[in-house]
Amino acid sequence: MRGLYEALMSASRAHARWELEMSNNIIKSRKHLLILFIMMLPLIIPAIGQAADLPAFLGGKSSFGPSHYNPTMFYGSMAVGVCAGLITGCIGAGGGFIITPALMSLGVKGILAVGTDQFHIFAKAIMGTVIHKKLGNVNIPLAIAFLCGSGLGVTAGGTLNRALFNMNPVFSDFVISAVYVFMLGFLGIYSMYDFIKTKGQVKKGDAHGGPVGMTGLAVKLQSIKLAPMVKFDEDITPGGRQISGWFVAICGAIVGFAAAIMGVGGGFLTFPMFVYGLGVSSFTTVGTDILQIIFTAGYSSIAQYAIYGYIFYTLAMGMLVGSLLGIQIGAATTKVVPGIYIRAFYAVAILAGFVNRAFAMPEKMTQMGYIKMTPETGKLLADIGAWIFFGLVVIFAGWIIMSFIRGIPTLRAESAKAVAGSGKGVSH
C-alpha cells in the first residue's frame, strides 16, 4: 500500500510539472494567447452564460443534462479552475483531483464533468505544448505502442461511462463518485499521515520523486522476450534497454481506461507505470508522456464524449482560464510559504474532495433503492459535503492568495536581485 501511495504521488507531481509547463508556455507566448482568445470567442460574442447558439457537441442547451446552462456554472467553473491551479502550482501535485467532484457539486452530471475536464486538459495540451523542445526525449516506438493500448482503454472507458449513464444516470454518478471516494480517500489519508509523521522535517527530492532505479518488476518484464520488442534509453544506458511492446500497450490501456472513467489527464498514471513498472528513465518518460497526453486526452474528450454531447465547452474554457491564473499564483507562493504547510493543505484539499463525494453517495443510493432514507436527509448530507468541500478549498485558496500578496515585496526583491545579477553577467 505504501508503494502504491508513493507511485501515485510521483504521478501526481509529474502531472503537476506538466500543468505548470503548459501554463507557462501559453502565458509567455503571444501566439498561444491569441489561440486562447479565439477559443473564448464563442463565450464573449453571444454574452457569457448564453450557450443556446453553440452546437450540442460543444455543450449547447440541447446537450445532455443538465439541460440548462446558467452563468453560475460558468463562474463556478472559473473558480474551480483557479483553486485547482493554486493547488497544482503551490503544492506541486495534481489539483485536477478536485475538478470532477467540484463540477458535480455545482450540479453537473458526472459524465459531463468527466468529459468537460478531459476537454479542458486537451485544450491546454494543444495550446501549451512546444513539441520541438521535447522531441529529443520522445521514443517513437514506445509512444506508438502506448497509444495503441491507450486508444483501446479510452474506448472501453468511454463506452462504459456512456452505457452506465444511458442505463441509469443516477448509477453513473454513483460509480464516478465511488471511484473518487476510493482514490481521494486513499491519497488523503496517506498524505495526512505523512504530514503528521514528517512534521518538522525537511523532505528532499525533485518533483518527480527523485532518481528511481530499476525495480524488480521492471527487471523481470524486460527479461521476457515477447515480440515485438521496443528499444529505448540508448542515450542513457549503453546499448539501451528493451521491453515487449505488449507490456507498453497494456500500460497504455490501463491509463486510457482510467483517464476516460475519471476525467483526469492521461499522464497521471503514465509516470509510475513507465518508471516503476517498465524501467523507462524519467527523461524518456516525460517526453513520451507529453506526446501521448495530447492524443489520449484528445481522443477521449472528442471521440468518446464531445460528439455525444457530454461536454460543456463554456465550462471547459472557464476552467482553463481559471487554472492559468491559479497556477501562476500558486507557483510564486512556494517561494514565500514553508513547505510543511503546503503538504498539510494538500492533504486537507484531497480529504475535502473525499468528503464531498462520500457525502453525496447516500442520496444516490437512496434514489436507486439500495438504502432507505428520506430525500430531504439525502439532500442535506450532499449539501453538507458540498459546503465542507467548497469551504475548505476556499479557505485554502484564500490562504494562498493572501500569502502571495504578503510575499510580493519578497518576490520583487528576488526578481530585482536576479535582474541585477544577469546585468553584471552581461557587463562582464
Side-chain angles (χ1 to χ4, degrees):
M1 296 294 286
R2 181 70 196 184
L4 176 61
Y5 167 71
E6 292 292 349
L8 291 177
M9 285 304 298
S10 295
S12 183
R13 295 186 188 105
H15 190 68
R17 284 177 65 94
W18 177 85
E19 288 264 11
L20 183 59
E21 182 178 358
M22 294 304 100
S23 298
N24 287 337
N25 287 345
I26 293 172
I27 289 177
K28 294 177 181 179
S29 168
R30 291 183 179 179
K31 181 176 71 174
H32 295 163
L33 288 175
L34 177 61
I35 294 173
L36 177 60
F37 175 75
I38 293 172
M39 294 183 73
M40 292 291 291
L41 286 179
L43 312 185
I44 298 171
I45 293 177
I48 292 177
Q50 298 300 318
D53 296 327
L54 288 176
F57 71 89
L58 287 182
K61 288 184 177 178
S62 61
S63 64
F64 295 94
S67 59
H68 64 282
Y69 176 84
N70 58 63
T72 302
M73 286 185 177
F74 175 74
Y75 295 123
S77 69
M78 290 192 69
V80 168
V82 169
C83 292
L86 288 171
I87 293 172
T88 298
C90 181
I91 296 172
F97 288 130
I98 71 167
I99 289 180
T100 296
L103 290 180
M104 292 177 73
S105 293
L106 289 173
V108 180
K109 295 290 185 184
I111 192 169
L112 273 141
V114 168
T116 300
D117 191 12
Q118 285 270 285
F119 189 81
H120 140 257
I121 292 171
F122 173 58
K124 185 180 292 182
I126 59 173
M127 278 191 287
T129 298
V130 183
I131 290 292
H132 66 85
K133 288 185 178 181
K134 300 292 181 180
L135 279 180
N137 305 37
V138 178
N139 181 286
I140 300 300
L142 205 62
I144 292 174
F146 185 92
L147 289 173
C148 288
S150 72
L152 294 175
V154 164
T155 302
T159 301
L160 177 60
N161 253 359
R162 296 195 311 274
L164 291 176
F165 183 80
N166 292 332
M167 179 182 72
N168 188 336
V170 177
F171 184 65
S172 171
D173 276 10
F174 173 79
V175 170
I176 294 171
S177 295
V179 170
Y180 271 95
V181 165
F182 172 77
M183 177 71 74
L184 298 181
F186 177 75
L187 286 176
I189 291 171
Y190 255 109
S191 296
M192 184 58 72
Y193 171 77
D194 256 12
F195 162 68
I196 295 172
K197 184 178 178 181
T198 61
K199 191 176 181 181
Q201 301 176 8
V202 178
K203 192 173 182 180
K204 297 181 180 180
D206 64 16
H208 282 173
V212 178
M214 284 272 286
T215 63
L217 175 61
V219 172
K220 185 174 182 179
L221 290 180
Q222 290 186 18
S223 67
I224 299 175
K225 306 303 180 183
L226 181 61
M229 299 297 292
V230 176
K231 196 171 184 179
F232 58 91
D233 284 346
E234 294 95 328
D235 297 334
I236 299 174
T237 303
R241 293 171 177 164
Q242 282 189 328
I243 195 163
S244 171
W246 289 102
F247 296 139
V248 181
I250 290 172
C251 289
I254 295 173
V255 170
F257 184 80
I261 289 289
M262 297 180 65
V264 294
F268 169 61
L269 293 174
T270 307
F271 186 83
M273 285 190 169
F274 267 38
V275 176
Y276 295 96
L278 303 182
V280 182
S281 68
S282 300
F283 179 78
T284 302
T285 296
V286 171
T288 307
D289 186 41
I290 286 176
L291 181 65
Q292 74 83 15
I293 200 171
I294 297 176
F295 291 96
T296 300
Y299 174 61
S300 177
S301 63
I302 295 175
Q304 299 301 315
Y305 292 105
I307 62 175
Y308 297 98
Y310 291 124
I311 73 160
F312 265 77
Y313 183 82
T314 42
L315 301 189
M317 291 300 101
M319 284 192 295
L320 177 57
V321 172
S323 67
L324 291 177
L325 173 63
I327 286 176
Q328 300 302 314
I329 296 175
T333 306
T334 58
K335 299 178 181 180
V336 295
V337 175
I340 188 67
Y341 297 124
I342 292 175
R343 291 201 298 275
F345 270 110
Y346 175 71
V348 171
I350 294 301
L351 285 173
F354 163 74
V355 170
N356 173 270
R357 286 300 88 204
F359 275 55
M361 291 180 72
E363 182 182 28
K364 306 298 181 186
M365 295 174 72
T366 301
Q367 292 172 351
M368 292 183 293
Y370 292 161
I371 61 174
K372 290 184 178 180
M373 181 183 293
T374 63
E376 293 76 16
T377 304
K379 186 177 185 306
L380 176 62
L381 286 175
D383 289 343
I384 291 174
W387 280 108
I388 292 175
F389 172 72
F390 284 114
L392 289 174
V393 170
V394 167
I395 290 172
F396 178 41
W399 174 75
I400 294 177
I401 293 172
M402 291 304 298
S403 299
F404 173 74
I405 294 173
R406 287 196 299 267
I408 286 178
T410 303
L411 294 171
R412 283 180 174 174
E414 288 186 2
S415 178
K417 186 177 179 180
V419 171
S422 62
K424 289 180 182 180
V426 172
S427 63
H428 287 297

